[in-house]
Amino acid sequence: RALAAATMDGALADPDSSGPGDPAAWAHDYELDPLELALDDECFTTFFNALLALPVFPQRLRYSFTMKGFVDESAFDDIAIGRIRTAPPPVRYPDPDRGSEPVFRWIAENRYCLFRGTEFHLLFVLCQELHDGNPALATLDVHPSRARAMLASFNAMNTFEQFLRGSPGHTCLRFWLDAARCLIDVTDHFPRRMRDLAERYFRPGIPNPLPMDVASVCLATDDAAQYVSLSPSCLAQAQALALQKLQTYWVPRFLLHRASEEPPPAPAPA
């Protein structure tokens, strides 16, 4: 059967007849904790620091998980003025009422508010999903704490994506992120976003297409021809299947690959 590309022939089905749906219902899985709570998760801080390090921001801030404070790394320039490199003093805030500090409040209002919906945010959510409730990890000959360390940071997720490049697993990962980007903000622009998604993942002849059992959730048949039928509910189902592929097959492969690269442990002293 011919798969009609939605962006080419207008065959993209409208969202559910009730409209794009309740935005809060689809965005719930991507909600963020208040910053003072989010910073208690060391994994989260690596993704937030990646956002803070973007060159678009003139002030280079970084959260130090060990010092429990923000460091202004733009406060010194050891290369330009020939100083011996020393760590700048952290901008601390006292526990437990961290949110009352002006610096903390400024970061929450001027940086953290930009985090939601970015690649850093969605990668963080995916990172959590790959570990939480993943039964495949229990079958691996890798200690759970070591397995988590191999994937529970921004740099580790980048390494995971590099490992997947050129494989169906990479398509599943990018599809999960693009689907999340649509579901996090189901608005009147949803049909246009879906057309972009259909062009990227359902166009005939694309390299490394989605696995058929994932793609079939979003396919409908009319007069012996298949076309893309995307609604928030269909997209969420396909996203969940893509996540399952990553959890049960690609994450275990990645962790075993990383474990094989590590040197064997030193022998115990006699």
Side-chain angles (χ1 to χ4, degrees):
R1 292 176 177 174
L3 173 59
T7 53
M8 298 172 62
D9 64 5
L12 181 68
D14 290 331
D16 295 332
S17 58
S18 58
D22 178 9
W26 299 107
H28 175 74
D29 291 339
Y30 309 101
E31 288 304 313
L32 291 165
D33 289 330
L35 182 56
E36 61 268 24
L37 297 180
L39 290 173
D40 288 333
D41 183 345
E42 186 173 10
C43 176
F44 164 81
T45 65
T46 67
F47 292 87
F48 189 48
N49 280 336
L51 173 79
L52 295 178
L54 290 176
V56 69
F57 300 128
Q59 190 175 19
R60 299 195 306 274
L61 298 170
R62 177 179 58 84
Y63 181 76
S64 171
F65 191 77
T66 56
M67 293 188 292
K68 303 300 181 185
F70 286 96
V71 174
D72 183 359
E73 295 187 325
S74 59
F76 71 105
D77 190 342
D78 57 290
I79 297 177
I81 61 179
R83 291 181 181 173
I84 297 174
R85 185 180 182 90
T86 57
V91 181
R92 296 178 182 271
Y93 46 80
D95 288 326
D97 191 21
R98 296 183 294 188
S100 64
E101 288 295 309
V103 170
F104 180 86
R105 186 167 59 249
W106 185 92
I107 291 172
E109 294 174 355
N110 294 275
R111 294 293 185 268
Y112 190 48
C113 65
L114 304 175
F115 185 73
R116 186 179 185 273
T118 63
E119 185 93 348
F120 307 106
H121 172 206
L122 300 180
L123 274 174
F124 169 63
V125 176
L126 177 59
C127 178
Q128 292 181 305
E129 294 284 356
L130 292 177
H131 283 96
D132 295 347
N134 186 353
L137 299 184
T139 66
L140 299 180
D141 189 21
V142 179
H143 193 275
S145 63
R146 184 65 194 131
R148 185 167 185 83
M150 289 178 179
L151 206 57
S153 72
F154 175 72
N155 288 337
M157 285 294 288
N158 280 337
T159 302
F160 178 50
E161 182 168 4
Q162 290 295 327
F163 172 79
L164 295 177
R165 286 198 182 276
S167 73
H170 190 242
T171 307
C172 286
L173 184 148
R174 296 311 310 178
F175 175 76
W176 191 97
L177 293 172
D178 286 339
R181 200 169 283 110
C182 294
L183 293 171
I184 200 172
D185 188 20
V186 180
T187 64
D188 293 339
H189 299 293
F190 186 81
R192 178 183 58 78
R193 293 195 184 105
M194 292 301 94
R195 289 185 175 87
D196 293 342
L197 200 72
E199 177 70 14
R200 189 174 301 124
Y201 293 102
F202 297 94
R203 179 169 48 83
I206 59 172
N208 292 319
L210 281 171
M212 193 58 201
D213 56 340
V214 177
S216 63
V217 174
C218 301
L219 299 179
T221 303
D222 185 20
D223 296 331
Q226 283 185 326
Y227 63 94
V228 180
S229 176
L230 285 173
S231 66
S233 57
C234 287
L235 184 60
Q237 292 177 52
Q239 185 197 38
L241 287 174
L243 174 64
Q244 187 180 54
K245 298 283 187 186
L246 293 169
Q247 288 177 322
T248 59
Y249 183 73
W250 293 106
V251 165
R253 281 196 62 181
F254 171 71
L255 295 178
L256 291 174
H257 170 75
R258 288 296 308 277
S260 70
E261 294 181 329
E262 294 184 340

